[in-house]
Amino acid sequence: MPANSRPTSKDVAAAAGVSQSTVSMVLSGKWPGRVSESTAQTVREAAQRLGYRPNPAARNLRLGRTRTIMLVVPAITAPFFAAVYTGAARVAVENGFSLVVFPWPLEADGPFSGPQEAIDGMLASSMGEHSLEGMRRPVPLVMVDSDPAGPAPTVNFDVAAAVGDIVSHLRGLGHTRIGHLAADINVWTFRSRALGLADRVPGLVTGRAAISIAAGFETAMALLSSPDRPTALVCDDDTLAAGAHKAARHLGLDVPGDVSITGFDDLYLAEALELTTVRLPAERMGELAMTHLLAVLEGRPAEPVVLPAELVVRRSTGAP
């Protein structure tokens, strides 16, 4: 081996008196049942003596892999998606992968006009069923908070149970006129919340808004200004609930004396406003989604997962 040159697997093979494929098997931990313990020990000692370290980049290039996963989210600033990322990144790093975040849609043609060429797999959170149609080539995929009847394994929270818990809580307080401040986004998770409420609340009054405090304020103003206004507003998101809270104050209504307000997610905003809300297991969803994707990459089955959500009762709900 020339002086000052980096030792290669070929050098290790020559020093150990074995083939390069045997070196690769031993150093990747895939030798049991294929070579003897003594041969494996000889290879390890030769590698240590030569100071050999595998080159992950070269190995990945040889295998046609980047060991990079892309997490696609509708908004990179939303705390829910930050928690999904945190959980997924932890599992990715533990398994030698990196995780990058891609906001959707970044451009008019969506996120699938090229980035997937440099990734091994994809996690997609809270996306519409048709979002994947622009992909140039299919990649291993797991979806979070998405339609379980869609094109890939899913990790979701129990939407129906969460909605049922909210309605039971409000009815237990004595509310009969319940309104819905719905997120104006046509994806499975929000459609499921709307259907769950409509099934449980006859005559449900609904107003739709983009997920922002300003949009929630405007829509809640209309709902709470009606002659037969609801005594409780179920909001699809804590940000919308904050807008509804602002609208109630603007109209001189007491929360919860005149109107009860609930949210979804349990963001920091919910704690600050003392909102009754649904705490979603976002970080755990990210962990399981990444675990499922690793299974898909290895050709193993990945069954759909449904996690429980938790109703957190605070001061924004009370008897009408």
Side-chain angles (χ1 to χ4, degrees):
M1 183 176 66
N4 300 322
S5 66
R6 179 173 177 168
T8 67
S9 61
K10 184 177 181 180
D11 298 323
V12 176
V18 298
S19 66
Q20 278 185 270
S21 61
T22 298
V23 171
S24 177
M25 278 191 293
V26 171
L27 298 184
S28 64
K30 298 178 180 179
W31 63 270
R34 304 171 75 177
V35 301
S36 67
E37 170 63 40
S38 61
T39 297
Q41 184 61 27
T42 298
V43 170
R44 288 193 291 264
E45 290 173 352
Q48 184 175 13
R49 186 169 64 253
L50 295 174
Y52 172 75
R53 294 290 183 275
N55 185 335
R59 180 176 181 272
N60 291 338
L61 181 63
R62 185 172 66 253
L63 296 175
R65 297 175 182 172
T66 64
R67 299 194 74 78
T68 299
I69 303 300
M70 182 165 71
L71 169 63
V72 185
V73 298
I76 58 175
T77 56
F80 173 80
F81 301 120
V84 170
Y85 170 84
T86 299
R90 182 183 303 118
V91 176
V93 170
E94 289 173 354
N95 288 274
F97 284 81
S98 59
L99 184 67
V100 297
V101 181
F102 201 101
W104 170 85
L106 185 64
E107 298 175 352
D109 59 358
F112 305 115
S113 57
Q116 74 273 13
E117 301 298 334
I119 61 173
D120 289 337
M122 184 184 300
L123 303 176
S125 182
S126 311
M127 292 175 58
E129 292 76 6
H130 303 296
S131 302
L132 309 178
E133 292 178 351
M135 292 180 66
R136 286 183 178 175
R137 69 174 177 89
V139 295
L141 170 71
V142 172
M143 302 189 76
V144 180
D145 195 23
S146 301
D147 190 352
T154 54
V155 177
N156 291 324
F157 74 94
D158 195 335
V159 178
V163 170
D165 288 344
I166 292 173
V167 174
S168 295
H169 170 65
L170 293 174
R171 283 194 171 145
L173 292 171
H175 292 278
T176 56
R177 298 197 308 278
I178 300 174
H180 182 203
L181 181 47
D184 194 16
I185 303 175
N186 185 27
V187 295
W188 171 83
T189 187
F190 293 125
R191 291 198 304 269
S192 298
R193 298 176 204 191
L195 288 171
L197 280 169
D199 287 344
R200 291 171 172 83
V201 181
L204 181 73
V205 177
T206 300
R208 297 190 175 278
I211 297 181
S212 72
I213 292 178
F217 171 82
E218 292 296 333
T219 302
M221 283 289 290
L223 289 170
L224 296 177
S225 298
S226 63
D228 193 27
R229 65 172 175 79
T231 61
L233 269 184
V234 177
C235 304
D236 272 352
D237 174 89
D238 288 342
T239 304
L240 291 175
H245 205 283
K246 181 178 178 181
R249 292 199 313 271
H250 188 82
L251 292 168
L253 300 175
D254 178 69
V255 178
D258 296 313
V259 59
S260 288
I261 297 173
T262 71
F264 257 92
D265 288 349
D266 197 26
L267 310 180
Y268 296 126
L269 190 62
E271 187 172 356
L273 293 175
E274 297 186 277
L275 286 172
T276 292
T277 189
V278 174
R279 180 178 295 155
L280 304 183
E283 194 167 319
R284 181 59 177 157
M285 292 166 76
E287 290 177 350
L288 290 176
M290 188 65 220
T291 301
H292 269 37
L293 185 56
L294 293 174
V296 172
L297 289 170
E298 295 172 2
R300 294 185 285 112
E303 297 297 325
V305 172
V306 179
L307 296 173
E310 177 188 359
L311 180 67
V312 180
V313 177
R314 296 193 179 100
R315 294 181 61 184
S316 70
T317 51

